[in-house]
């Protein structure tokens, strides 16, 4: 099967009360760890690429690696631009074979977000590519942009129908209390998501797929391993998995995970090099990182997303 758009997979996820994992990728080992897990569980996949990942690895390398993953596994895989900030990067990704793009106009005014998003939708739809928009603003770090807690804002349900109707987007990312990066809640703080906003948004957009960014759980075992083997991470608290499961059973059809992959890769490499200080072959220390990613993604698919067997 060639690379696919997100249309079919998100529709089935909505109807089946589960979610598709959207995993950020930037190298061979990350792509292999994710796709091997998905292949064993027969799960559809969204592999997403940020502007930073695209700069790091180059568009063509990532595109070819993802095509290779599709050939290797035969899974339905969508290749998606994560947090496209302007029309130009969306156009470059559409022209370069991506099947889906996100235009993140959440930093603009409502009207400017609508006109930018509508421009991307028109270009994308004429070429059979799906588009994700965003309303509301998450805290945390994306590329070099650091949105402080004070600047973050929840999605306003009274804006979503107008936004979706006037832009024509295929899915909508909303802000309900998740945030990017490994430090989502302060030590002692009880994680809380605004399920009331999700509920209200889904009432206003029946059948329409919602996207949750900033959805890493910040796996404690990975943080512990990193710190056991020389790391100095502070107490990191992520989104509890039962909350993600609840969101997946509601209108959330795409759940974005990047930080957990980074932690798994780093934990594997740190542990291996600490226990084997004479090793210098990258294959020896990258393989445990890849293995951690594979077991992480297996776990997410089976216990959080519920998309196993849905490919
Ligand atoms: O939402 C942001 C993703 O984690 C991508 O991060 O821009 O550092 O590649 P990045
Ligand atoms: P995390 O930092 O929680 O993994 O979020 C990733 C994300 O939203 C990518 O768009
Ligand atoms: Zn994001």
């Amino acid at each position: 099967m060639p690379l696919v758009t997100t249309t079919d997979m998100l529709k089935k996820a909505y109807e089946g009360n589960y979610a598709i994992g959207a995993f950020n990728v930037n190298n061979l080992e990350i792509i292999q760890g994710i796709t091997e897990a998905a292949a064993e569980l027969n799960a559809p996949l969204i592999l997403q690429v940020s502007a930073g990942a695209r700069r790091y690895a180059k568009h063509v390398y990532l595109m070819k690696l993802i095509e290779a993953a599709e050939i290797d596994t035969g899974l339905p895989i969508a290749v998606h631009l994560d947090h496209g900030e302007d029309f130009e990067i969306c156009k470059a990704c559409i022209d370069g074979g991506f099947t889906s793009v996100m235009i993140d106009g959440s930093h603009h005014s409502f009207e400017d977000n609508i006109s930018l998003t509508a421009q991307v939708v028109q270009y994308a739809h004429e070429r059979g590519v799906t588009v994700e928009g965003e309303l509301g603003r998450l805290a945390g770090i994306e590329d070099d942009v650091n949105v402080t807690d004070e600047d973050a804002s929840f999605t306003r349900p009274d804006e979503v129908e107008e936004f979706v109707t006037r832009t024509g987007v295929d899915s909508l990312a909303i802000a309900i209390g998740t945030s990017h990066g490994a430090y989502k809640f302060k030590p002692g703080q009880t994680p809380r998501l605004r399920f009331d906003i999700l509920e209200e948004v889904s009432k206003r957009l029946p059948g329409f797929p919602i996207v949750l960014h900033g959805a890493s759980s910040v796996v404690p075992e990975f943080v512990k391993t990193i710190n056991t083997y020389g790391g100095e991470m502070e107490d990191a608290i992520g989104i509890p998995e039962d909350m993600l499961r609840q969101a997946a059973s509601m209108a959330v059809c795409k759940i974005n995970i990047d930080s957990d992959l980074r932690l798994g890769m780093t934990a594997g490499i740190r542990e291996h090099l600490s226990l084997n200080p004479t090793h210098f072959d990258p294959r020896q220390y990258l393989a445990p990182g890849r293995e951690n990613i594979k077991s992480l993604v297996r776990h997410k698919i089976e216990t959080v997303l519920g998309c196993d067997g849905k490919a």
Side-chain angles (χ1 to χ4, degrees):
M1 167 184 304
L3 295 169
V4 297
T5 70
T6 57
T7 306
D8 203 40
M9 56 175 88
L10 294 186
K11 184 170 184 290
K12 287 184 185 152
Y14 191 99
E15 287 162 1
N17 299 110
Y18 61 89
I20 311 294
F23 299 99
N24 285 69
V25 300
N26 56 58
N27 73 13
L28 169 72
E29 284 75 15
I30 296 173
I31 291 172
Q32 286 182 331
I34 297 165
T35 50
E36 282 173 19
E40 285 179 10
L41 296 171
N42 199 31
L45 266 182
I46 299 172
L47 296 180
Q48 55 188 14
V49 174
S50 69
R54 202 163 159 268
R55 275 196 302 274
Y56 171 78
K58 282 196 181 174
H59 184 100
V60 67
Y61 285 86
L62 293 175
M63 199 62 217
K64 295 297 166 192
L65 285 172
I66 294 170
E67 281 170 10
E70 187 282 315
I71 291 166
D72 188 38
T73 62
L75 289 174
I77 299 178
V79 52
H80 174 80
L81 169 66
D82 191 27
H83 294 284
E85 68 165 357
D86 53 30
F87 176 79
E88 286 67 36
I89 190 169
C90 293
K91 178 179 183 304
C93 289
I94 294 164
D95 294 347
F98 280 30
T99 58
S100 181
V101 293
M102 174 188 192
I103 175 68
D104 181 356
S106 62
H107 306 285
H108 298 294
S109 69
F110 185 62
E111 279 304 321
D112 289 352
N113 188 358
I114 288 183
S115 55
L116 176 60
T117 304
Q119 187 192 8
V120 172
V121 168
Q122 185 178 357
Y123 190 82
H125 282 183
E126 282 168 6
R127 290 155 183 83
V129 168
T130 42
V131 180
E132 173 185 327
E134 178 165 339
L135 262 185
R137 200 178 293 175
L138 271 70
I141 299 173
E142 296 155 25
D143 273 329
D144 300 328
V145 183
N146 188 353
V147 181
T148 62
D149 289 352
E150 299 79 64
D151 287 336
S153 56
F154 294 121
T155 303
R156 289 178 46 185
D158 60 340
E159 289 183 342
V160 298
E161 290 148 290
E162 184 180 350
F163 185 82
V164 167
T165 312
R166 286 177 59 195
T167 59
V169 281
D170 303 284
S171 61
L172 180 68
I174 63 169
I176 58 167
T178 62
S179 58
H180 291 110
Y183 302 99
K184 298 186 191 298
F185 298 100
K186 299 196 170 52
Q189 204 181 356
T190 306
R192 188 165 167 254
L193 295 187
R194 292 288 304 272
F195 283 104
D196 57 320
I197 295 180
L198 172 58
E199 189 69 51
E200 188 57 35
V201 166
S202 54
K203 265 193 213 140
R204 289 166 186 259
L205 296 174
F208 191 82
I210 300 302
V211 178
L212 205 56
H213 283 247
S216 280
S217 316
V218 189
V219 179
E221 299 82 59
F222 289 154
V223 177
K224 193 165 165 231
T225 302
I226 288 171
N227 285 345
T228 302
Y229 295 104
E232 295 189 358
M233 288 190 65
E234 291 165 32
D235 283 348
I237 306 171
I239 312 297
E241 290 192 338
D242 58 337
M243 290 188 186
L244 296 171
R245 183 69 220 120
Q246 187 181 340
S249 71
M250 298 167 71
V252 169
C253 300
K254 172 176 180 278
I255 291 190
N256 285 12
I257 295 170
D258 187 1
S259 298
D260 279 339
L261 301 170
R262 297 177 180 195
L263 292 169
M265 178 59 85
T266 302
I269 293 171
R270 272 198 179 276
E271 179 172 6
H272 183 88
L273 286 177
S274 297
L275 298 176
N276 303 276
T278 59
H279 283 184
F280 60 91
D281 180 341
R283 291 172 297 186
Q284 290 173 313
Y285 57 80
L286 291 177
R290 179 173 61 187
E291 214 36 55
N292 275 356
I293 285 182
K294 183 173 173 182
S295 54
L296 170 82
V297 172
R298 268 197 80 98
H299 171 76
K300 297 281 180 191
I301 289 173
E302 286 184 308
T303 62
V304 176
L305 301 161
C307 60
D308 40 325
K310 310 293 188 188

